[in-house]
Amino acid sequence: RDFNERCAQCSEVNWGLTDGGRFYCRTCHNVIERTREVINAEAISNARIQTISKGLRNQKKTEEDWEWYVCEGFQLVLKKQAEALEALGVCPQMKDEILCNFWRRYLQKSQQAYCNRPTGEAVKALSVCDSSADMDSEPERPSLLHLLSLSESDGDLQTDCSFASSAGKVSENTSMCSGSIDGRLYLKKNQKEKLRMSMPMTLSFCYMALLWLREPMTLSDLLRFVVEGHIPYFNAYQHFPEKMKLYGLDLRIFCVESWPVYEEVHNKMVELAAFLDLPRFPDVTESCFLHPDMLCMKYLMEANLPDELHDWTRRVVKKTCIGEADFLTLTPGNKSTRAVKYDVLAAAVIVVVLKLLFLLDDHYEWLLSDFSAERNKNDKEAEGGPCFEFKKWYKVIKCSLDVEQKKLDEERAKYVWRCEKPLFYSVKKKSKVFRRRQMVENLQNQFGKLSGSVQPAERPNPSSFQLSWSEENTDGTCFHGHSLKGILQEKRGLLTALNPDYWLCTVKLCNEKMCGHLAHYKEVDFPQSYHFVLRLFSFLLRMQPSCIHEEVCVIEHKLFNKKLYKKPKYYAGLRK
């Protein structure tokens, strides 16, 4: 109150103090170098020492919690996820140049930042500020949106949050039953048109940035790395600073106790790209990892199928025109085209090729397998490798798939959703909470030793392949070098399947707008061989077989479009 100099920017005399004891203008938020002089009386009598305050003014202030907003918590989660992706080998530009700009644009579009003043219910959070509070008696901390910025070189982020932090003392009613200031309002407000932020949407942000950079990581890979713990998602709030207390309604926002769903993350990404008014994404060309030809090669290797099948997948991709850049590239807001699920598309192409060659009707594939086995028996040193036997491949894959699926189910059943870092809501209870957690862990270890339970395995190293097959094995479990000559015939200079028949999964596609799906899948309605192939790729992609089946139906209708919708010759006569 004794400092009467005018502000150099706005010429006003309206000064307050920051946490560090520095003066700042309440009108324009300009911070100057001057600090507050504190009179410190020591034990020496008749002595007065004037010192300059550096840091927090008293110990009581250090024990107080920070005031933070929900969007600040999500920003910290995005920052940690981007850093984890960089550690996995993603381009360093993702965090500071791509994801940061997407996040800024979202804050501006949702009117949480980079706007003059927030609208709607966000104003209610500001209306509870006590404008008559004495700012000198209790200065506020800087906004976390600046301290936890995705980019180290970012300037100050002018938001409603920073305005509230510097405008007055927030009432206790705003954070009732929550650690954040706007946790209660955040759960109450209806923001369907504004895409309210959620934990699954953080993965949508990450995938959108990966897609923009055309990184060699599909959405199924991203979700698998999340489940394996390589990317912060479950209990991501344990990375919050200690003074960002999280309890009550905040747990409903940031605590995740379910596995991420492919469809939800993908659909949110498409809606988010349209909401942000993003331009057309960079083209997905033939040299890009996300192109079907590239992904088919990857999944053929992982499914332990012959390399010669890649020629057939390329023929299907070319015939159906699903390898064109206009089809593969995401154009936000274009409702006339479906957003491509690159990994699902590649898996569906392989399934269609297997149906073309082996029919997968629980009868023809076994006849071909017996024929190939007899041929291999008679000609053991055939050129181009042994003929591919579907029955032998089925036995090898089923054995390995059952083991891996059982291991995955056990890991999910034993997964502990509780955070490793215990939550405590005051400094006084910190030691008590840690002692209780340590006691519980000691008891669990003792009971585990008595019961003879196996200790949880260490987190596996990240890998693009879940199933690996080596041609160096002498047990005959690798089929990469096997030949298809036993099931093909040459016709007019081209190799075609021995059997020209083909069965469609569905004759007519459903209306996606009416029922939400183009096709439906029930295991009892389809052959077991077809279901086994779907089950294999559903394990590799960590999704339901129905999602792959739907894409198979779409490709089939593209492939046999002329035959399906060909008008009969007598149609014109009937019209007359």
Side-chain angles (χ1 to χ4, degrees):
R1 295 192 181 97
D2 298 332
F3 185 59
N4 298 322
E5 294 185 11
R6 294 184 177 275
C7 177
Q9 289 191 4
C10 62
S11 301
E12 294 288 336
V13 182
N14 187 16
W15 299 101
L17 286 175
T18 65
D19 289 346
R22 295 172 62 182
F23 282 78
Y24 76 95
C25 180
R26 297 179 185 173
T27 304
C28 66
H29 309 297
N30 177 35
V31 182
I32 62 177
E33 295 297 329
R34 183 182 177 90
T35 56
R36 182 182 183 185
E37 295 182 352
V38 180
I39 299 178
N40 189 6
E42 300 291 344
I44 303 176
S45 60
N46 299 325
R48 297 182 65 189
I49 303 175
Q50 288 186 342
T51 61
I52 303 298
S53 174
K54 298 179 180 179
L56 299 181
R57 291 176 296 165
N58 50 48
Q59 184 66 23
K60 180 180 178 181
K61 184 60 185 178
T62 62
E63 297 180 358
E64 294 184 0
D65 302 333
W66 282 348
E67 293 172 351
W68 60 282
Y69 286 75
V70 172
C71 62
E72 294 176 307
F74 281 119
Q75 177 162 304
L76 182 56
V77 173
L78 284 172
K79 179 174 181 288
K80 295 298 181 181
Q81 290 176 346
E83 292 173 352
L85 287 170
E86 285 189 14
L88 292 175
V90 173
C91 177
Q93 298 177 349
M94 176 192 168
K95 185 181 75 168
D96 294 336
E97 297 184 17
I98 307 301
L99 186 58
C100 183
N101 288 329
F102 286 165
W103 178 243
R104 286 174 170 174
R105 196 174 183 90
Y106 172 78
L107 291 177
Q108 185 180 30
K109 286 283 185 179
S110 58
Q111 297 185 345
Q112 298 181 63
Y114 300 104
C115 55
N116 295 330
R117 284 294 295 273
T119 59
E121 292 190 1
V123 180
K124 297 179 182 179
L126 297 180
S127 64
V128 300
C129 296
D130 185 6
S131 59
S132 62
D134 186 1
M135 293 302 297
D136 291 335
S137 63
E138 189 168 350
E140 302 296 332
R141 60 136 182 120
S143 173
L144 276 176
L145 284 169
H146 171 61
L147 294 179
L148 304 178
S149 177
L150 290 175
S151 176
E152 299 294 340
S153 59
D154 287 343
D156 292 337
L157 185 58
Q158 296 299 328
T159 67
D160 58 310
C161 308
S162 58
F163 177 83
S165 295
S166 59
K169 182 180 178 181
V170 180
S171 172
E172 295 180 357
N173 294 330
T174 49
S175 58
M176 182 184 300
C177 300
S178 67
S180 61
I181 292 177
D182 59 339
R184 182 167 56 90
L185 293 176
Y186 184 84
L187 291 175
K188 280 186 176 181
K189 56 188 177 183
N190 183 14
Q191 283 192 341
K192 290 184 179 180
E193 71 283 357
K194 293 184 179 180
L195 281 179
R196 186 173 65 180
M197 193 64 188
S198 62
M199 285 300 296
M201 269 189 66
T202 61
L203 301 180
S204 300
F205 264 101
C206 291
Y207 179 59
M208 187 167 60
L210 292 172
L211 186 57
W212 184 274
L213 291 172
R214 295 178 295 183
E215 285 288 329
M217 183 182 296
T218 61
L219 179 55
S220 58
D221 291 333
L222 175 67
L223 300 185
R224 179 165 56 85
F225 291 148
V226 167
V227 173
E228 292 177 355
H230 302 294
I231 300 175
Y233 181 72
F234 307 106
N235 304 322
Y237 54 83
Q238 65 183 346
H239 299 288
F240 285 9
E242 191 171 305
K243 291 189 177 182
M244 285 181 63
K245 291 296 182 274
L246 184 110
Y247 57 90
L249 298 178
D250 298 328
L251 299 178
R252 293 175 55 186
I253 301 174
F254 292 99
C255 287
V256 180
E257 293 189 356
S258 61
W259 309 106
V261 181
Y262 185 103
E263 291 286 335
E264 180 183 3
V265 176
H266 183 269
N267 293 339
K268 285 294 182 182
M269 186 276 296
V270 176
E271 295 179 20
L272 189 60
F275 174 71
L276 300 181
D277 292 331
L278 296 180
R280 176 184 165 112
F281 278 52
D283 289 348
V284 179
T285 58
E286 293 183 359
S287 60
C288 180
F289 176 81
L290 298 176
H291 194 274
D293 291 343
M294 292 286 190
L295 286 177
C296 283
M297 189 184 305
K298 173 182 181 295
Y299 292 133
L300 284 173
M301 293 176 61
E302 196 164 10
N304 197 13
L305 289 166
D307 299 332
E308 294 183 11
L309 284 177
H310 188 236
D311 295 333
W312 285 82
T313 59
R314 293 179 63 181
R315 290 169 64 176
V316 171
V317 169
K318 185 177 180 180
K319 181 73 174 179
T320 55
C321 299
I322 59 176
E324 303 293 332
D326 291 337
F327 175 81
L328 295 173
T329 305
L330 176 63
T331 304
N334 187 0
K335 298 182 179 179
S336 60
T337 58
R338 296 173 66 236
V340 178
K341 303 169 185 175
Y342 302 95
D343 39 11
V344 182
L345 179 67
V349 169
I350 297 176
V351 175
V352 171
V353 168
L354 291 178
K355 288 183 64 180
L356 285 170
L357 299 181
F358 300 96
L359 204 57
L360 301 184
D361 63 345
D362 289 344
H363 177 70
Y364 184 71
E365 63 270 20
W366 307 123
L367 292 177
L368 282 180
S369 182
D370 294 338
F371 175 75
S372 298
E374 188 68 23
R375 184 167 181 171
N376 289 334
K377 184 179 180 180
N378 297 331
D379 191 4
K380 296 183 179 180
E381 297 182 359
E383 296 181 1
C387 293
F388 176 71
E389 300 178 33
F390 187 88
K391 183 183 297 184
K392 188 176 180 180
W393 172 83
Y394 172 84
K395 292 179 179 179
V396 171
I397 294 297
K398 187 176 186 306
C399 180
S400 178
L401 183 60
D402 290 343
V403 172
E404 295 296 328
Q405 186 67 55
K406 182 179 179 181
K407 186 188 302 182
L408 177 63
D409 294 339
E410 290 179 354
E411 290 177 356
R412 291 195 171 189
K414 295 179 180 179
Y415 187 82
V416 180
W417 297 101
R418 182 178 297 177
C419 179
E420 296 179 0
K421 179 182 177 182
L423 298 175
F424 55 90
Y425 313 124
S426 66
V427 179
K428 296 179 180 179
K429 296 182 179 180
K430 179 178 180 179
S431 59
K432 183 178 179 180
V433 171
F434 274 100
R435 284 198 305 267
R436 183 179 299 174
R437 172 58 64 88
Q438 186 176 5
M439 181 181 65
V440 171
E441 291 178 354
N442 291 337
L443 289 174
Q444 288 177 346
N445 293 334
Q446 292 177 10
F447 279 112
K449 292 178 181 180
L450 292 174
S451 61
S453 61
V454 181
Q455 295 295 328
E458 296 182 359
R459 187 171 60 186
N461 295 326
S463 175
S464 298
F465 292 89
Q466 302 175 68
L467 302 176
S468 59
W469 313 93
S470 176
E471 296 183 9
E472 299 177 357
N473 295 344
T474 58
D475 54 358
T477 57
C478 182
F479 297 89
H480 292 161
H482 285 217
S483 173
L484 299 177
K485 57 187 177 183
I487 60 175
L488 299 178
Q489 63 180 353
E490 188 174 351
K491 187 177 182 181
R492 298 177 183 177
L494 294 176
L495 291 175
T496 60
L498 289 176
N499 184 20
D501 297 333
Y502 189 92
W503 60 272
L504 292 172
C505 293
T506 181
V507 178
K508 185 177 180 181
L509 297 176
C510 298
N511 189 343
E512 191 173 15
K513 294 182 179 180
M514 297 293 293
C515 60
H517 298 280
L518 292 173
H520 299 275
Y521 178 74
K522 290 182 179 180
E523 181 181 351
V524 295
D525 297 335
F526 295 91
Q528 287 301 310
S529 297
Y530 176 72
H531 174 71
F532 173 77
V533 175
L534 289 186
R535 179 181 162 224
L536 170 61
F537 287 104
S538 67
F539 171 80
L540 296 178
L541 303 184
R542 304 292 174 88
M543 60 171 49
Q544 295 297 325
S546 58
C547 299
I548 304 175
H549 169 77
E550 181 178 353
E551 199 68 35
V552 169
C553 295
V554 174
I555 294 177
E556 287 180 344
H557 277 253
K558 288 179 179 291
L559 188 61
F560 301 103
N561 179 57
K562 293 182 180 179
K563 293 184 178 180
L564 283 173
Y565 301 102
K566 183 179 179 181
K567 296 180 181 179
K569 294 182 180 179
Y570 57 86
Y571 179 74
L574 291 177
R575 286 192 63 182
K576 292 179 182 179

